[in-house]
Structure formats: C-alpha cells, structure tokens
Amino acid sequence: TETNMKETFAIPAVGAIIVKHVGDEEYILVQTREKNSCDGTDGLLEIPAGKIREYENIFEALKREVWEETGLHITKIYGEGESQFLDIDGNKTILFNPYCVTQNLSGAYSLILSTFLCEAEGELLKKTNETEDIRWMRRDELKVIVANNPEKIFLMHVNALRKYLG
C-alpha cells in the first residue's frame, strides 16, 4: 500500500553573537525569548536569530532579524567579506562561512542555524513582539550561565555560545 506522508523539512535560520567592548570588558547581546508559543521556550535567554526567507541573502536575513529583534544595525559580520557569489544563467548562489552551524535533532521545531559573529550599533529596543529585556551581558557572566545552567538558554544557541566563550 502507498502512504501519502507529507515530507517536512528543517527550517534554515540565522543567528548573531553580537559583541562589544567597553574598556577591558567584553559584552554580548542577549534577550529573553517571548514568542508566546507553547513549546516551553518562552523566558529562555537567547541571542538574536530568525528564519531565512525564500531566496533571501543570508547576510540580509541576519541584518533584518537583528534590526527587528533589537533595533540595532549590524556594522560588521565576520566572514562576510570572504563570501562568494556565482550567477549562471540567472541562477544565483552564495558561498559563506558562518562561525558555526547547529542543527537540533529533536525538540521545539526542526532548525538548521548558521550563527555569525557580529558587531552592531544603535539604540536597543525595550522589547518586541518576540523578545523582551534586550541587554548587553558581560562575557564572564554569560559564560557562567552557559557552563552551569545551559537549560536556561534557548537550545539552539548553547553550542555556539560554548564555542565562542571557550
């Protein structure tokens, strides 16, 4: 017998570890997740991230998501300068090297997340329809949370933050 099972696919997404330095201190932008969804992820700490629209350049998606979620304008995406474009008969591709790629294998919804290291400027929003308490957290403070309480961070960002914070 033939079964009519609908194929479902992982959703491509992009995230930003946004860093700034004030004197000798390093800060990383974090926010509290408030998607009003029933997946148990509201209230978790996260970095700015979101889904990539069909045919949207990944760097444009990153800039759009950061702007929508934080009010900041990205001024630098590490690795963007090394990206390569190809156009063959109107079929365009981009080669890019993110800081890291994370795929969740269960839980929430199926994502493949390319995370980039970034710098940004502007005034932080107080909250958006998806986030609240958008703030700069000291590197050492975030490192303690990542090391001791990873369950307090949105699953998709834990590995990228572990890699970055060392």
Side-chain angles (χ1 to χ4, degrees), residues 43-96:
L44 295 178
L45 204 60
E46 67 173 4
I47 59 174
K51 299 176 186 96
I52 302 167
R53 295 174 178 156
E54 187 175 39
Y55 297 121
E56 185 177 27
N57 174 314
I58 193 165
F59 298 111
E60 295 308 311
L62 185 64
K63 292 171 188 172
R64 176 182 55 76
E65 284 291 345
V66 167
W67 164 250
E68 288 173 1
E69 292 190 0
T70 71
L72 296 184
H73 293 281
I74 289 182
T75 55
K76 181 172 187 173
I77 303 170
Y78 289 85
E80 183 179 18
E82 291 80 59
S83 58
Q84 297 174 27
F85 293 89
L86 182 63
D87 184 340
I88 299 175
D89 299 329
N91 296 299
K92 299 176 183 173
T93 65
I94 180 175
L95 176 148
F96 57 87

Side-chain angles (χ1 to χ4, degrees), residues 10 12 14 25-26 35 49 60 85 89 92 101 113 116-117 120-121 126 129 138:
V14 67
E25 288 284 356
E26 181 177 296
K35 305 272 188 203
E60 295 308 311
F85 293 89
D89 299 329
K92 299 176 183 173
V101 179
L113 174 69
F116 291 86
L117 298 181
E121 62 184 25
K126 299 257 183 290
N129 61 350
R138 283 196 2 244

Side-chain angles (χ1 to χ4, degrees), residues 12-44:
V14 67
I17 295 176
I18 303 173
V19 178
K20 80 168 181 177
H21 292 88
V22 179
D24 292 341
E25 288 284 356
E26 181 177 296
Y27 293 84
I28 297 166
L29 192 73
V30 297
Q31 57 201 27
T32 302
R33 189 176 175 86
E34 286 299 332
K35 305 272 188 203
N36 298 314
S37 54
C38 301
D39 61 9
T41 64
D42 280 0
L44 295 178

